[in-house]
Amino acid sequence: MAERALPWRCDAQAAMARLRRLGAERFEAARLAMWAFTVALPGADPVWLLCHRRLERGLLWPASLATLADDDADERLVLAAEAPPDRQRVARLWFWERLARRGLWRARLSEASPLAVSLPLWLGYAGERRGRRQLLVISGVSGEPLAALKPAVLAGLREDAQRA
Amino acid sequence: MSEFTWLDSAVLVVYILAIAFIGARFGRNQHDTRDYFLGGRKIPGWAIGLSVMATQASAITFIGAPGWGFEGGLERLVTFINVPLAMAVLILLLVPVFHRAGIYSIYELLERRFGPVTRSLSAALFLIARGLATGVVLYAPALVLSVVTGWSVNLTIVVMALLAVSYTVLGGISAVIWTDVIQMFVLWLGAIVSMGLMVASLPGGWGDVFAFGAAHDMFDAIDLSFDPTVTYSLWAGLIGGVFLHIAYFGTDQSQIQRVLTSPSIAEGQRSLLIGGYLLVPQMLLFLFIGVMLATYYDQHGLTAPDNLNELFPRYVVSAFPPGLAGLVIAGVFAAAMSSLDSALNSLSAVTVRDFYGRFVRPDASDRHYLKASRWATVFWGLYATLFAFFAGNLGPVIEAVNRIGSWFYGALLGVFLLAILSHRSNARGAVAGLVAGMGAVWWVSSSLSISWLYNNAVGVAVSLGVGYLVSLATPAPSREQLADVVIDESAPDMQALLSRRAAAAHEITPEARLTRRRCFGLLLWFVLLVAGLALLQAVAHG
């Protein structure tokens, strides 16, 4: 089955402006491979909980997952997927998420197998002048900073460097 | 003067039903999840900020602040003048760490950093403190109900507790941002209308208010006394108050929960930013209403009620046109219910996640935990009800809530700061700091007659100092324990890797950082507020 992907909605110009405001000096596009678990809502289309072994919490994607275009994947730094996180752990994480946000209470994790999904990101590099590099991660969908993804991105960068 | 008419009662019932309907209709469908992550965001940041404000303090402010202003004029504004500074510290320091850690309860961070004992102790302190403060929050709408119906306040406390616990257990009015925004506007409308009515009823209008306020030093918001026993000096507000609000908004799960569940750091920061700008003007508005009420009572030869918390609700019921009084009282009810719902929910969530799920039934089913959380809600409802019976003796409700927090939160904030700022601190230091910080606050508040606003500063200073010194005498924490507070990319090999990637990446021209600019805005706002108050004070003294 072809890999699924979230769409790029934050273009390079917008990403550059956002990363500049956050203090980045250089930037590049990347895709982080994650696992999408289906979350079923009564009377509505399913939504997706995007998980990664190195993340403490999942990210919710409320729309459909398109198939990743081949040319898109070729252009970006691709941070490879690890094995999907343990299903029991995801189910428990989702329970706490529902308990914390009661608006989500009726949304339940379905039994379907997780799908491989590619999350678009912009990576910013700061700290050139201070001599201590800092990585900034913003969403390629909304442009919002996603610092919680840093452990997964750093692991992906390390793996990419070892492959190279 | 009119009383609470049938039209008011009808408006009250329709308003509450409408809010409940909107919550039920829009709170639990996909609109909520659509706003959760990444795309499709349609709710503006200002609405989210107002919603946070509605959950925090609206009913308490509406009831407590006019009584406060009636008694002491604007001098008590120094308690809140520090909020922009506190929000800047939260935005810069605590929110990024909490958000990056991906935690549901902030006390989890303390377990990862210091171990299970620190987490349990901190969560227990939160439960005790927030449970007591919820009693005050429960007392506020009960008092309004008592004023409206003429029933005894003890009876209305029980009625309100039953209502609040029932709908929280049944699912509550979901956190629908727009209903919170409506409530904020209704409360502000009530404030502005009451100002208009009071001015219209005074022969000299605004001139009477300013003359009365100036003659009784009610516009003296800035007291530069260095005497620590002066409760509302500017320094007590700055030194003590800033720690009070960092601790209140940063270490209380019921306050920080919405920031933790926001989809991004920026979103969480935005909601705090709105509070940073609007909480002080809102407090000024309601304190000023207190000054106007003092003028009104003086000119009309009226006697103020013994319990000053009743002052403003009584005025609304007696002076507002039929229908409008019902609307404003309904706004107070709905806002109080929103606060109660949020507080009971966070108390039960922490009970289940930080205690029951760890020590009693670690591997129970979701259904079991849900049942446990409902029983926990009932328990905390009872606990708050018991305390609510005594809340009337604590003076203005707004001060009571902050005083209760000040006994606990300073030491708690000290431990969080220790976790984030000192990579040398360890579990023994944290526990010692927490216990010593609490002990110091209790000793200071019972033995010295210094302003209660300093309690949090004492708690922070002692817990930080003792925690650090004890940590130095015991082994340093492991690298894993520092993972949530040390920047992930600090390892030398990762630095080299990031430098290689950066060299190959596209260049960005430099510009000021947005987050810092936001905080400069809050700093500027703080300076403007102090300058405005100083100017008012100078004008009042001719």
Side-chain angles (χ1 to χ4, degrees):
Chain A
M1 185 189 275
E3 188 180 341
R4 307 300 179 97
L6 269 59
W8 288 93
R9 286 187 193 153
C10 176
D11 64 17
Q13 284 301 317
M16 191 164 66
R18 283 197 175 237
L19 286 166
R20 185 195 295 142
R21 288 184 205 138
L22 293 167
E25 292 125 5
R26 291 174 177 274
F27 81 115
E28 65 178 324
R31 276 191 173 276
L32 174 66
M34 298 182 76
W35 294 95
F37 289 80
T38 316
V39 170
L41 273 162
D45 295 333
V47 296
W48 305 92
L49 186 67
L50 310 185
C51 297
H52 191 284
R53 273 186 179 273
R54 292 179 186 265
L55 298 186
E56 297 292 338
R57 285 170 74 169
L59 304 168
L60 205 63
W61 174 246
S64 60
L65 294 172
T67 306
L68 179 67
D70 292 341
D71 56 342
D72 185 41
D74 290 344
E75 287 172 19
R76 327 279 179 178
L77 164 68
V78 178
L79 305 170
E82 298 183 357
D86 175 53
R87 187 177 173 76
Q88 290 285 85
R89 180 173 167 265
V90 174
R92 188 41 54 92
L93 282 181
W94 182 239
F95 171 73
W96 293 120
E97 197 78 52
R98 291 160 66 211
L99 205 62
R101 290 174 56 88
R102 277 191 314 193
L104 300 175
W105 182 249
R106 293 189 312 150
R108 294 179 185 279
L109 201 69
S110 90
E111 293 295 323
S113 301
L115 300 175
V117 62
S118 166
L119 174 68
L121 297 172
W122 291 102
L123 308 184
Y125 299 97
E128 191 170 9
R129 290 172 200 82
R130 293 193 306 275
R132 186 175 168 171
R133 281 286 174 195
Q134 193 189 348
L135 175 71
L136 300 157
V137 181
I138 68 169
S139 163
V141 183
S142 67
E144 293 281 2
L146 294 172
L149 293 187
K150 275 174 71 172
V153 172
L154 288 168
L157 286 174
R158 196 188 291 273
E159 196 177 315
D160 181 72
Q162 283 166 355
R163 270 203 312 269
Chain B
M1 288 209 178
S2 59
E3 291 299 321
F4 204 73
T5 64
W6 65 269
L7 181 61
D8 292 315
S9 304
V11 169
L12 191 148
V13 171
V14 169
Y15 183 95
I16 299 285
L17 288 177
I19 291 287
F21 173 76
I22 294 170
R25 175 71 181 79
F26 298 108
R28 300 192 182 115
N29 63 16
Q30 208 177 339
H31 290 286
D32 201 40
T33 56
R34 185 156 290 153
D35 295 320
Y36 186 69
F37 175 63
L38 297 174
R41 183 162 300 283
K42 294 188 184 80
I43 298 176
W46 63 265
I48 295 168
L50 286 183
S51 163
V52 173
M53 281 182 69
T55 311
Q56 282 165 358
S58 51
I60 290 278
T61 305
F62 190 89
I63 290 160
W68 234 21
F70 184 93
E71 199 173 52
L74 303 188
E75 72 163 357
R76 293 167 193 198
L77 191 65
V78 292
T79 311
F80 288 85
I81 196 83
N82 49 68
V83 167
L85 303 180
M87 292 302 192
V89 174
L90 281 169
I91 286 169
L92 284 173
L93 188 63
L94 294 183
V95 173
V97 175
F98 289 161
H99 221 281
R100 197 170 54 220
I103 46 183
Y104 295 96
S105 139
I106 47 172
Y107 314 111
E108 284 171 53
L109 181 81
L110 295 180
E111 178 170 19
R112 290 191 207 162
R113 181 69 181 77
F114 293 133
V117 176
T118 315
R119 175 181 177 180
S120 301
L121 200 53
S122 308
L125 286 182
F126 159 74
L127 291 176
I128 295 167
R130 178 44 57 187
L132 294 177
T134 303
V136 181
V137 178
L138 183 62
Y139 170 76
L143 186 72
V144 175
L145 188 63
S146 165
V147 167
V148 168
T149 60
W151 299 346
S152 121
V153 76
N154 285 345
L155 176 63
T156 57
I157 284 171
V158 174
V159 171
M160 289 309 302
L162 283 172
L163 277 174
V165 171
S166 303
Y167 81 64
T168 305
V169 166
L170 293 172
I173 297 172
S174 293
V176 180
I177 285 166
W178 290 111
T179 59
D180 284 342
V181 172
I182 292 167
Q183 278 154 218
M184 285 307 295
F185 279 116
V186 167
L187 293 185
W188 286 343
L189 173 76
I192 290 163
V193 169
S194 67
M195 290 171 92
L197 290 173
M198 271 189 272
V199 166
S201 75
L202 298 172
W206 288 105
D208 284 358
V209 177
F210 283 105
F212 181 85
H216 292 82
D217 298 332
M218 294 184 102
F219 298 129
D220 292 0
I222 296 176
D223 184 340
L224 293 172
S225 167
F226 286 103
D227 181 354
T229 63
V230 175
T231 306
Y232 300 107
S233 72
L234 181 64
W235 313 116
L238 283 184
I239 299 165
V242 81
F243 285 110
L244 166 76
H245 284 111
I246 296 170
Y248 180 71
F249 291 115
T251 66
D252 182 312
Q253 176 70 16
S254 70
Q255 300 299 314
I256 201 78
Q257 180 152 321
R258 200 176 287 222
V259 173
L260 291 184
T261 52
S262 61
S264 69
I265 292 180
E267 191 69 50
Q269 289 174 328
R270 256 197 297 273
S271 63
L272 292 174
L273 202 66
I274 300 282
Y277 281 108
L278 290 186
L279 271 173
V280 181
Q282 178 180 263
M283 188 54 60
L284 180 62
L285 175 71
F286 284 98
L287 286 175
F288 195 79
I289 286 172
V291 176
M292 295 181 78
L293 280 167
T295 315
Y296 177 85
Y297 269 69
D298 181 68
Q299 294 238 349
H300 289 81
L302 300 170
T303 308
D306 291 337
N307 183 351
L308 288 179
N309 293 311
E310 293 179 16
L311 197 69
F312 195 40
R314 277 194 188 285
Y315 176 78
V316 169
V317 170
S318 65
F320 273 39
L324 194 55
L327 181 69
V328 173
I329 294 298
V332 175
F333 265 115
M337 282 297 180
S338 173
S339 305
L340 282 168
D341 183 33
S342 166
L344 289 172
N345 206 29
S346 59
L347 284 166
S348 74
V350 168
T351 305
V352 173
R353 186 163 172 80
D354 292 74
F355 292 99
Y356 190 79
R358 287 166 68 214
F359 302 121
V360 184
R361 292 286 298 275
D363 295 311
S365 66
D366 290 2
R367 186 178 291 276
H368 181 87
Y369 282 138
L370 180 63
K371 207 171 179 179
S373 84
R374 285 180 172 155
W375 280 113
T377 304
V378 173
F379 170 80
W380 288 112
L382 280 171
Y383 178 94
T385 305
L386 286 177
F387 188 68
F389 290 133
F390 303 99
N393 303 325
L394 296 175
V397 284
I398 198 156
E399 187 170 313
V401 164
N402 286 308
R403 271 179 186 266
I404 291 165
S406 76
W407 297 332
F408 302 91
Y409 291 152
L412 211 48
L413 175 62
V415 172
F416 273 105
L417 293 179
L418 206 59
I420 293 166
L421 300 178
S422 164
H423 299 165
R424 180 62 184 80
S425 58
N426 58 25
R428 285 185 197 170
V431 173
L434 199 54
V435 173
M438 289 266 299
V441 171
W442 283 91
W443 180 77
V444 164
S445 52
S446 59
S447 307
L448 305 177
S449 52
I450 65 170
S451 166
W452 65 270
L453 285 168
Y454 288 112
N455 285 355
N456 282 275
V458 169
V460 170
V462 171
S463 63
L464 265 178
V466 170
Y468 187 70
L469 290 174
V470 171
S471 298
L472 286 182
T474 44
S478 66
R479 187 175 170 77
E480 289 74 37
Q481 287 174 311
L482 293 172
D484 288 320
V485 291
V486 174
I487 309 261
D488 311 293
E489 64 269 50
S490 60
D493 60 331
M494 192 50 80
Q495 283 288 304
L497 198 160
L498 289 179
S499 292
R500 284 201 300 278
R501 288 232 60 95
H506 306 290
E507 194 171 356
I508 302 174
T509 51
E511 195 185 83
R513 292 182 178 211
L514 179 64
T515 305
R516 285 191 185 166
R517 221 166 40 206
R518 280 176 172 162
C519 293
F520 283 139
L522 283 173
L523 192 63
L524 182 65
W525 181 233
F526 166 76
V527 172
L528 284 173
L529 286 169
V530 174
L533 290 172
L535 186 66
L536 177 66
Q537 193 166 326
V539 170
H541 286 284

